Amino acid sequence: MRVRRRPQRGIAAVALLALFTSLPLLQAQAVSLFSDGFESGLVPPWTASASFTRQNTLVHSGSWAGRATGTAAYAYESLASTQSNVYFDSFIRVVSNAGGTPVLRFRDSGGTNLTSINITIAGALQRKIDIVTGQDKTSGTVVTQNVWHELQLHAQINGISSVYEVWLDGTKVNDISGTVSMGTAPVGRVQLGRQAGSTAYDIAFDDIAADTAFIGGGGGCTTPPAPTNLHQTSPPTANQVNIAWNASAGATGYNVYRSPGPNPGSVGNTTSFQDNGVAPSTQYNYQVSATDGACESPLSTPPLGQLTPAGGGGGGDKVITAAGDIACDPADTYFNGGNGTSTRCRQKATATLLTGDAVLPLGDEQYECGGGTAFTQSYGPTWGAASATKVHPTVGNHEYDTSGGTGCGTNAAGYFGYFGGAAGDPTKGYYSWNLGSWHFIALNSECAQLPKGTGVDGCDQGSPQDSWLETDLAGNTQPCILAYWHQPLFASNGAAPLTKYKAFWADLYAAHADLVLNGHRHFYERFGTQDQNGAAKSDGIREFIVGTGGKSHGGLKTPLAANSEKGDSKTFGVLKLTLHANSYDWQFVPIAGSSFTDSSSSSVACH
């Protein structure tokens, strides 16, 4: 049996693989999970079906190897602890293939399939994502039969910014490798072969290893640290994105990864990149790695999202839909298999209303604590499935809760893990982006979770977030501005305004912002234009509260607050905004069977 070690790719290997896309994503602190060549038996460590056997006819090294023959032949190894970043490597020899056969597979600790690398009837490698549909893809790379090949599968689980990579005989299979959506459940089992099928196949396996770093040959090297502070240097245009990052110590070059691809590739020893290969009206996510000519760093995190405007510089109307307070905990009494009741847990019904160019979830996306498991079971199949490629979320108070629900964590880990780069830096939770002629600003209203700087909390004047907001507004060149965060400054809930958000409003008012969208209160309410003190102003900001995403109703008090123009606390639905070049229209769209609505009688001009 060949002894498997965790090597790093050396200079000679890089000379053979000149393009960065053939290089693995290396982790600075790797952990060997296990290695086995069937020399000492099959069980343990493997749990195997009767048609997966230990044999000595087809062997890569040593005296024994595993072999899967039949329609449902498999063996899996349960990891000592679940992992969100796993490399799984095996030598394989395909004797016959049924088509679509999973060769290497990742499953969670409960046995749910997460992802695999398959082989088609024609012998082509095929990406299979089980946990999120619509991402399977067939490669142009073909595995020849009756020859030993080394096949390696890598998954880095990070919500919609997960990484899927495959290597065949040491060369990266670029046309199926890249950023995908893979949920948040970590890997608990690694598997050879498939559990079920209707046609027989025959594949031998030998010299298997699992690790948290790339598994391959070569000499030593020093991995540079991942680049930091990946950011845009100017707003994206219809056909161009400009990004930059901080230099990594010891790096002699950088690689740019983009989803959707193709990956731009090596950009040399520079810390900026102009991407002229983008298309209009498309959401792109970027990550960057550093290389010293021998080893490649981990990818920068979080990914940087860039939404290109429509052709011709972003002209044409844009439509967004928004709501907050959305998905019930899957253990909620009223969850009802995701269908809810007439007054609770209607996330599935509101998800059918999500249309247009962008979707803005306004916080409390997943009750009761924003747990990663809850996200994949409740929000993911409803709002997640309807808006995965165009979502721009903001975080709510429930995402920061640490108990009371399914899969609770700390520091809103479930939220940031599920949305990945679309949610911004997980230490901040605020970011901005452009669509058409509009500038959007997502803010974090959970002030106690953020550094306060010279302010009283993380939202106050003098806090890092408020300073960032002032800088962002000063650099904006778009004629119309929309900001959104979870908890509203003004609301007809029988209580005084939440003055901790006055600094946000003051900055936005000074910059002539047009709209603020909020959730938190489980009702719909529209305010007239006003300043941060609640004084009606013709050049003020209009606020919409849209806490109608599905969780529950209630809390609207009458008489309505000053400057409130309309409210309802009995209807689930979303706010639909049609954004013109210099104006907007609004419409509250209710779920099927409801009659309440609210809409503008004519377009409202931007300030």
Side-chain angles (χ1 to χ4, degrees):
M1 178 186 112
R2 189 175 62 144
V3 177
R4 302 305 297 271
R5 299 182 175 89
R6 184 195 312 116
Q8 293 175 305
R9 193 177 292 278
I11 298 292
V14 173
L16 291 174
L17 305 174
L19 296 176
F20 91 98
T21 48
S22 66
L23 294 173
L25 172 63
L26 296 178
Q27 301 297 314
Q29 295 182 346
V31 177
S32 178
L33 303 176
F34 78 91
S35 61
D36 188 60
F38 302 102
E39 296 303 304
S40 58
L42 178 61
V43 182
W46 300 94
T47 299
S49 65
S51 49
F52 191 102
T53 60
R54 175 174 177 255
Q55 48 81 47
N56 57 8
T57 304
L58 296 178
V59 176
H60 177 256
S61 69
S63 302
W64 297 90
R67 190 166 180 176
T69 55
T71 59
Y74 67 91
Y76 70 82
E77 165 80 1
S78 293
L79 302 180
S81 60
T82 58
Q83 302 289 328
S84 294
N85 182 64
V86 183
Y87 292 78
F88 186 29
D89 186 279
S90 175
F91 278 83
I92 65 167
R93 181 165 174 164
V94 180
V95 179
S96 63
N97 180 38
T101 303
V103 182
L104 306 181
R105 166 168 273 169
F106 290 137
R107 301 165 69 186
D108 69 13
S109 57
T112 299
N113 296 333
L114 301 178
T115 187
S116 62
I117 179 66
N118 296 4
I119 298 179
T120 69
I121 191 67
L125 292 173
Q126 181 182 61
R127 180 176 73 200
K128 175 67 176 176
I129 308 295
D130 299 283
I131 202 71
V132 179
T133 61
Q135 300 180 97
D136 300 348
K137 185 178 181 182
T138 300
S139 170
T141 300
V142 174
V143 178
T144 53
Q145 291 188 356
N146 293 306
V147 176
W148 283 102
H149 296 278
E150 185 176 15
L151 184 64
Q152 185 165 175
L153 172 63
H154 170 224
Q156 183 173 321
I157 310 295
N158 185 30
I160 62 175
S161 298
S162 299
V163 175
Y164 177 102
E165 296 178 296
V166 173
W167 290 264
L168 181 67
D169 296 326
T171 299
K172 192 172 182 180
V173 185
N174 291 301
D175 57 357
I176 55 174
S177 296
T179 304
V180 297
S181 178
M182 215 183 298
T184 58
V187 177
R189 300 178 184 178
V190 293
Q191 179 173 299
L192 309 172
R194 71 181 183 198
Q195 305 100 290
S198 58
T199 53
Y201 62 96
D202 185 349
I203 302 176
F205 300 87
D206 204 358
D207 298 326
I208 297 101
D211 207 305
T212 61
F214 180 79
I215 303 164
C221 63
T222 302
T223 304
T228 58
N229 190 31
L230 179 60
H231 60 281
Q232 69 175 34
T233 56
S234 61
T237 67
N239 303 109
Q240 186 181 100
V241 170
N242 290 276
I243 61 174
W245 54 90
N246 293 349
S248 296
T252 59
Y254 297 90
N255 306 318
V256 175
Y257 291 81
R258 186 188 76 198
S259 175
N263 291 320
S266 175
V267 297
N269 192 15
T270 180
T271 57
S272 63
F273 175 66
Q274 183 178 93
D275 190 354
N276 295 309
V278 297
S281 302
T282 304
Q283 173 72 38
Y284 292 96
N285 290 310
Y286 290 85
Q287 290 178 280
V288 180
S289 66
T291 176
D292 64 357
C295 286
E296 184 182 16
S297 77
L299 294 178
S300 58
T301 56
L304 173 67
Q306 295 283 278
L307 179 65
T308 56
D317 292 349
K318 302 296 179 185
V319 174
I320 68 166
T321 44
D325 308 276
I326 300 167
C328 280
D329 191 290
D332 192 295
T333 303
Y334 302 98
F335 187 67
N336 189 26
N339 295 308
T341 68
S342 61
T343 59
R344 294 177 180 270
C345 305
R346 299 308 304 276
Q347 62 272 1
K348 182 181 289 187
T350 55
T352 65
L353 308 176
L354 302 178
T355 61
D357 301 285
V359 172
L360 278 57
L362 301 176
D364 284 0
E365 286 85 358
Q366 179 59 66
Y367 286 81
E368 293 294 327
C369 61
T373 302
F375 260 105
T376 60
Q377 294 178 4
S378 185
Y379 179 92
T382 54
W383 273 57
S387 64
T389 61
K390 52 186 177 182
V391 66
H392 301 272
T394 189
V395 68
N397 54 296
H398 275 280
E399 273 74 53
Y400 281 103
D401 283 346
T402 58
S403 62
T406 300
C408 302
T410 59
N411 301 317
Y415 166 86
F416 288 108
Y418 179 82
F419 288 111
D425 185 337
T427 65
K428 299 175 181 177
Y430 50 87
Y431 60 97
S432 65
W433 53 285
N434 294 328
L435 176 65
S437 60
W438 284 71
H439 184 58
F440 292 79
I441 304 170
L443 294 171
N444 188 340
S445 63
E446 303 317 302
C447 313
Q449 304 293 335
L450 300 172
K452 63 182 182 179
T454 59
V456 298
D457 58 33
C459 302
D460 193 31
Q461 179 73 29
S463 68
Q465 178 174 211
D466 188 66
S467 297
W468 171 88
L469 173 60
E470 293 173 351
T471 301
D472 181 85
L473 289 168
N476 172 54
T477 59
Q478 305 296 92
C480 304
I481 300 173
L482 184 156
Y484 57 109
W485 62 88
H486 182 55
Q487 299 195 43
L489 172 57
F490 306 105
S492 296
N493 65 317
L498 292 175
T499 55
K500 58 185 174 181
Y501 305 123
K502 287 182 68 174
F504 289 170
W505 202 283
D507 292 337
L508 292 163
Y509 179 59
H512 308 290
D514 302 282
L515 293 171
V516 163
L517 308 186
N518 303 119
H520 191 59
R521 305 301 177 189
H522 291 201
F523 51 74
Y524 170 81
E525 188 170 18
R526 167 172 53 86
F527 283 82
T529 55
Q530 54 190 336
D531 67 11
Q532 67 272 17
N533 298 312
K537 298 284 187 179
S538 60
D539 63 346
I541 305 169
R542 184 182 305 280
E543 177 190 273
F544 288 90
I545 298 174
V546 200
T548 56
K551 173 60 167 65
S552 59
H553 289 139
L556 184 69
K557 304 295 184 182
T558 55
L560 298 179
N563 299 317
S564 178
E565 296 177 337
K566 196 160 188 177
D568 177 85
S569 61
K570 297 181 180 179
T571 309
F572 294 114
V574 301
L575 178 68
K576 176 182 176 182
L577 292 172
T578 302
L579 308 177
H580 313 297
N582 287 286
S583 63
Y584 64 92
D585 299 278
W586 75 79
Q587 179 187 10
F588 179 81
V589 183
I591 62 172
S594 299
S595 58
F596 171 81
T597 189
D598 180 37
S599 61
S600 52
S601 58
S602 61
S603 296
V604 180
C606 295
H607 299 318

